[in-house]
Amino acid sequence: KQEVTQIPAALSVPEGENLVLNCSFTDSAIYNLQWFRQDPGKGLTSLLLIQSSQREQTSGRLNASLDKSSGRSTLYIAASQPGDSATYLCAVEETSGSRLTFGEGTQLTVNP
Amino acid sequence: DTAVSQTPKYLVTQMGNDKSIKCEQNLGHDTMYWYKQDSKKFLKIMFSYNNKELIINETVPNRFSPKSPDKAHLNLHINSLELGDSAVYFCASSSTSGGSYEQYFGPGTRLTVT
């Protein structure tokens, strides 16, 4: 059974700092990995999707990497801003069109 | 131009009642899902449908019954609501026939059972 763990559970940083969020999964036979952002009381916004054959994806200040063999992914946020404050969720999909298995999230606070 | 929409956004009801949540996607996706986010914010799959066919049916009480009238809609009906059903329910959709394979989520329905 796939299990996804995110470390740290919470992170507070000053504005402008670069930071890394970590995600690990127990079964390396994944189809893809997706990073989401969830603001309080809101839905999920997809940030980046990395397919199993890829090593990383970039979007603006965000860079996600995937090391499938070791069961790890990182989300790097450059030059953090207060608007980045949210919960970041990592999820893995084992086959196309199957369930996403989520981690418990990292709650990020960026202080002005 | 909303991609995945859910109604209602908030639902407050009493124990024992029956309620439905509706979901629609206009992305042309062939697969739709229901996830539940509990009070600890943990998200877990409940059901998925591909081309109106049930694909995933997690260990969910049979008081929960999904229905997919067509590829663009997936509704969730809940009978005899219990206090423990209080949660946020998210609908999502994706394409399995090419493209980015991302799952796109609706805004959620916050269900409160009193």
Side-chain angles (χ1 to χ4, degrees):
Chain A
K1 179 187 170 188
Q2 180 75 267
E3 292 183 2
V4 179
T5 303
Q6 291 187 246
I7 294 174
L11 182 62
S12 181
V13 300
E15 182 176 2
E17 193 161 298
N18 301 327
L19 59 99
V20 174
L21 307 181
N22 297 292
C23 172
S24 61
F25 44 95
T26 53
D27 187 344
S28 62
I30 64 168
Y31 185 72
N32 62 43
L33 183 145
Q34 206 166 344
W35 281 94
F36 294 89
R37 168 188 174 137
Q38 185 174 28
D39 293 281
K42 303 287 186 184
L44 278 70
T45 301
S46 179
L47 298 173
L48 290 164
L49 179 142
I50 310 177
Q51 297 193 24
S52 61
S53 58
Q54 297 174 324
R55 299 281 299 191
E56 65 177 328
Q57 283 284 346
T58 298
S59 175
R61 294 181 294 107
L62 305 179
N63 176 276
S65 68
L66 174 64
D67 184 343
K68 208 173 87 157
S69 60
S70 68
R72 294 183 182 182
S73 176
T74 61
L75 179 67
Y76 175 82
I77 303 177
S80 58
Q81 303 170 357
D84 295 331
S85 298
T87 296
Y88 290 80
L89 295 160
C90 166
V92 299
E93 186 174 18
E94 292 173 26
T95 58
S96 176
S98 71
R99 77 202 70 199
L100 283 175
T101 301
F102 282 86
E104 296 193 10
T106 294
Q107 186 173 353
L108 173 65
T109 303
V110 181
N111 301 301
Chain B
D1 59 349
T2 303
V4 182
S5 60
Q6 295 178 229
T7 54
K9 189 169 182 181
Y10 299 97
L11 186 52
V12 181
T13 188
Q14 291 184 328
M15 283 175 56
N17 285 348
D18 303 339
K19 290 294 179 186
S20 291
I21 307 171
K22 295 186 176 181
C23 178
E24 176 180 3
Q25 55 93 6
N26 62 6
L27 297 165
H29 288 165
D30 57 3
T31 305
M32 297 184 72
Y33 312 81
W34 278 111
Y35 290 86
K36 178 180 179 180
Q37 187 171 43
D38 61 25
S39 57
K40 295 183 180 179
K41 309 297 183 188
F42 189 61
L43 268 157
K44 192 172 179 185
I45 186 76
M46 297 175 70
F47 303 103
S48 82
Y49 271 75
N50 177 267
N51 287 316
K52 302 195 299 174
E53 182 182 344
L54 181 64
I55 301 298
I56 294 173
N57 184 352
E58 282 294 289
T59 310
V60 176
N62 57 15
R63 298 181 294 103
F64 290 78
S65 53
K67 281 191 173 57
S68 181
D70 56 57
K71 286 198 306 183
H73 296 84
L74 179 61
N75 304 323
L76 183 64
H77 188 76
I78 315 170
N79 289 326
S80 303
L81 278 155
E82 300 178 358
L83 292 176
D85 297 333
S86 296
V88 181
Y89 293 84
F90 287 99
C91 177
S93 72
S94 71
S95 171
T96 60
S97 56
S100 66
Y101 309 106
E102 282 177 270
Q103 288 194 19
Y104 291 84
F105 281 71
T109 295
R110 183 174 295 276
L111 172 65
T112 303
V113 183
T114 62

